[in-house]
Amino acid sequence: MYSSPYMYRAYRFAVLLGIAVAACSDPNELPPATETNVVDTITLYSLDGTPVNQPSAYAIEAGLPIRTDQFSAFDIVYTVDAAGQSWLLPAVVVGMPVASLDPGLLPQGTAAGGLAFEQITEAPFDGYLGEDSIPIAIGNTYVLRSRIVCNIGVPKYAKLGIIGINSDPDTLSVTVEILNNQNCGYRSLQLGLPGF
């Protein structure tokens, strides 16, 4: 089969090299998932027009609403402008510095069409809006990407659906359903233990 011992050695070397490359080809290989994906319902209060002790921000890493007067490690903020329009703002928009990757939102659907909350099953790698204010309405859905929060250099992902907006001047708030994948780098946005 081989015309010389050199060809055999070259073939053997190529096979061994292929095995080594295959074993090491994914430097970002993720550790096994340990956190189960669940859906939660949370309320955020407008950054403008409500008391500072009400949580206006959300941190994907913590999976919690955050008070902006106590913590700066958040990814998005909710606010209502003077005209009564509700907005979600990536952290960079409100002046939070981000070192390597901006947190962002990726619109997926509205009440009129697109993907409903339960239809969103996977977070895309890119396309996130990290420097834009995003107007929101009931029925809108989004995928969220955190800043880099994991020691392996990857973000976390979540999906969010707007289920209620309270425009009462005393309690300006938004209620959302959210599935937050707490496994570093995993993009699955389905219930249960994610496989990817």
Side-chain angles (χ1 to χ4, degrees):
M1 176 176 178
Y2 303 102
S3 59
S4 75
Y6 298 110
M7 286 187 67
Y8 174 74
R9 279 189 232 144
Y11 171 78
R12 189 169 168 213
F13 177 74
V15 169
L16 292 174
L17 181 62
I19 292 170
V21 168
C24 302
S25 63
D26 185 5
N28 297 317
E29 188 171 327
L30 301 173
T34 58
E35 301 292 329
T36 301
N37 290 346
V38 297
V39 175
D40 197 6
T41 302
I42 63 166
T43 299
L44 299 175
Y45 296 85
S46 176
L47 184 65
D48 300 300
T50 65
V52 71
N53 64 352
Q54 300 281 18
S56 297
Y58 185 78
I60 297 171
E61 177 184 20
L64 296 170
I66 298 292
R67 285 177 52 173
T68 56
D69 64 320
Q70 293 184 338
F71 303 97
S72 61
F74 54 81
D75 298 296
I76 60 168
V77 176
Y78 171 70
T79 197
V80 179
D81 66 20
Q85 173 64 55
S86 291
W87 301 83
L88 287 178
L89 315 174
V92 172
V93 174
V94 293
M96 302 310 301
V98 177
S100 57
L101 182 72
D102 294 342
L105 296 94
L106 184 57
Q108 297 292 292
T110 67
L115 294 177
F117 182 81
E118 58 277 357
Q119 294 174 314
I120 302 169
T121 59
E122 180 178 342
F125 278 114
D126 52 22
Y128 295 87
L129 304 174
E131 298 181 0
D132 300 309
S133 302
I134 313 295
I136 63 170
I138 293 173
N140 288 11
T141 57
Y142 306 88
V143 174
L144 311 179
R145 181 192 65 202
S146 76
R147 62 206 183 287
I148 297 295
V149 294
C150 301
N151 60 8
I152 58 174
V154 295
K156 292 183 179 180
Y157 298 93
K159 66 178 177 179
L160 178 149
I162 310 296
I163 58 176
I165 294 176
N166 186 340
S167 56
D168 183 316
D170 296 325
T171 54
L172 298 170
S173 62
V174 62
T175 301
V176 304
E177 56 184 339
I178 191 162
L179 182 149
N180 192 338
N181 192 330
Q182 284 296 300
N183 299 282
C184 287
Y186 278 69
R187 297 182 302 113
S188 171
L189 298 176
Q190 301 180 73
L191 291 171
L193 190 67
F196 61 94

